[in-house]
Amino acid sequence: MTSLDPVLDEHYQTVLARNPGEREFHQAVLEVLETLSPVVRRHPEYADQSVIERICEPERQLIFRVPWVDDQGVVQVNRAFRVEFNSALGPYKGGLRFHPSVYLGIVKFLGFEQVFKNALTGMPIGGGKGGSDFDPKGRSDGEVMRFCQSLMTELYRHLGEYTDVPAGDIGVGEREIGYLFGQYKRITNRYESGVLTGKGLAYGGSQVRKEATGYGTVFFTEQMLAAAGKGISGRRVVVSGSGNVAIYAAAKAAEMGAQVVACSDSSGYVVDEAGLDIDLLRRVKEVDRARISAYAEEREGARFVEGGDVWEVACEVALPCATQNELDAEAATTLVENGVLSVAEGANMPCTPEAVDVFQKGGVLFAPGKAANAGGVATSALEMQQNASRDSWTAQHTEERLHQIMAGIHESCATSAEEYGVPGDYVAGANIAGFRRVADAMLALGVV
């Protein structure tokens, strides 16, 4: 751990005291504060006006119960959260996660990251996050619908296209967004398309939204490699996960000429030296909703490793796209020893601080999630634009806009790192660029 500037350490100690037991949130805050020393030295007004303390404290935290009835007629009760973290740049924007691991600390970590991620896009959106400990796996469509309707019956009063605009995340896809939007429309008697993003194309969704986070991660990787005089074509790529982000990161990398040889889920990983068959992977995970082993059963030459760590597979480009803290120092060391050139976080904080340290000391190009996986929320903002103008864009136009936004994020990170004396450090560059945009807006708005 880097020694914190005394002013920053005081704020970090306050975060620890105010938020006991929320280790993911502590980790996210520390990762940002460790890079801000040169900023607060050059801009003492951020400390003088308590911007740092304010930016670490959510504007609003909502916790509520979600009662619903399962297919056997048994009443179930889950807990749900919405953390509206910062609205200095625009309405709160961030996904909903349905997973048994969800608790307040995870939602706050995700919301805190979202504030800076959204700022980096250059779009007028603030940061927030939400979710529930509900697990949609193994539940019928009817059960998922009843849960979503119950959740929205409380959540709707806190939402609005100028207030708070949720989207999907782990466990929340187009099906769940549809049920949530249907209940919102029913309760409010308003067809307010811009209140949720990630919608189906039939009722106000955006082309490329499903693919956007994965595509954006690869676009950022492309920019990062190009800045170092390298390219992505012909590179050996490993992706963790096999959800939306992983599938479409693999698809875009392959389209750009890379050889994507492995992906994973919680049961293990598959290696396909011929290159992943993206259509088969999509069918196995999105249609059949099967375990990743089913891919190896159908694909000649592919092999499944039960319970293994996908980072054992040698690669030049690593794209962790599963969940937080999935890639530790041991895995990072293995990747470096096997010759990895670049790592870009497709998930939110998938690399532990120790892993990031291994990459940076090993000379690996490393892109943090708040920069590399910002493509999803950027395209959500594009969906909001289309909804506001009652318009619909082509997939080609939307993807071009996404590519431009990711190039702009890369430029912003690289420029900020250079300006503050840490050239090539994308972690510092992303944190500084995102923080300064939010902090300057907060100063302009006064103490609110």
Side-chain angles (χ1 to χ4, degrees), residues 122-320:
M123 313 291 274
I125 44 178
K129 205 75 178 185
S132 172
D133 57 5
F134 171 76
D135 188 355
K137 285 184 180 177
R139 292 294 181 182
S140 69
D141 287 349
E143 288 176 321
V144 173
M145 181 184 72
R146 290 191 292 276
F147 171 80
C148 288
Q149 289 175 341
S150 181
L151 183 145
M152 185 55 78
T153 300
E154 169 59 32
L155 188 60
Y156 88 94
R157 68 189 80 244
H158 307 288
L159 306 183
E161 59 184 325
Y162 301 111
T163 306
D164 187 350
V165 182
D169 195 277
I170 293 172
V172 179
E174 190 174 307
R175 173 184 64 173
E176 288 76 15
I177 292 294
Y179 294 149
L180 290 165
F181 181 69
Q183 185 73 349
Y184 181 87
K185 183 175 75 71
R186 180 186 191 185
I187 292 171
T188 63
N189 194 32
R190 294 196 303 270
Y191 205 106
E192 194 178 334
S193 299
V195 76
L196 281 165
T197 58
K199 300 182 295 296
L201 293 176
Y203 61 101
S206 173
Q207 300 272 8
V208 192
R209 176 59 192 91
K210 187 175 186 179
E211 302 90 342
T213 306
Y215 280 16
T217 301
V218 176
F219 290 152
F220 194 95
T221 301
E222 172 198 32
Q223 295 285 326
M224 190 166 60
L225 287 166
K230 300 177 173 66
I232 193 169
S233 181
R235 300 293 180 190
R236 184 179 168 89
V237 177
V238 167
V239 180
S240 69
S242 50
N244 264 1
V245 181
I247 289 172
Y248 293 107
K252 182 54 67 175
E255 183 184 315
M256 296 173 75
Q259 184 83 345
V260 187
V261 298
C263 67
S264 64
D265 67 11
S266 58
S267 67
Y269 66 88
V270 292
V271 180
D272 188 345
E273 293 292 348
L276 291 177
D277 181 331
I278 304 300
D279 289 337
L280 173 59
L281 180 61
R282 286 183 60 188
R283 178 169 63 77
V284 166
K285 300 305 293 188
E286 295 183 346
V287 179
D288 300 341
R289 298 182 185 270
R291 307 308 291 164
I292 199 70
S293 57
Y295 176 95
E297 290 168 5
E298 294 195 40
R299 174 77 162 169
E300 185 178 353
R303 61 186 174 89
F304 170 65
V305 180
E306 184 175 2
D309 185 350
V310 74
W311 306 120
E312 299 165 352
V313 182
C315 63
E316 295 169 284
V317 175
L319 304 176

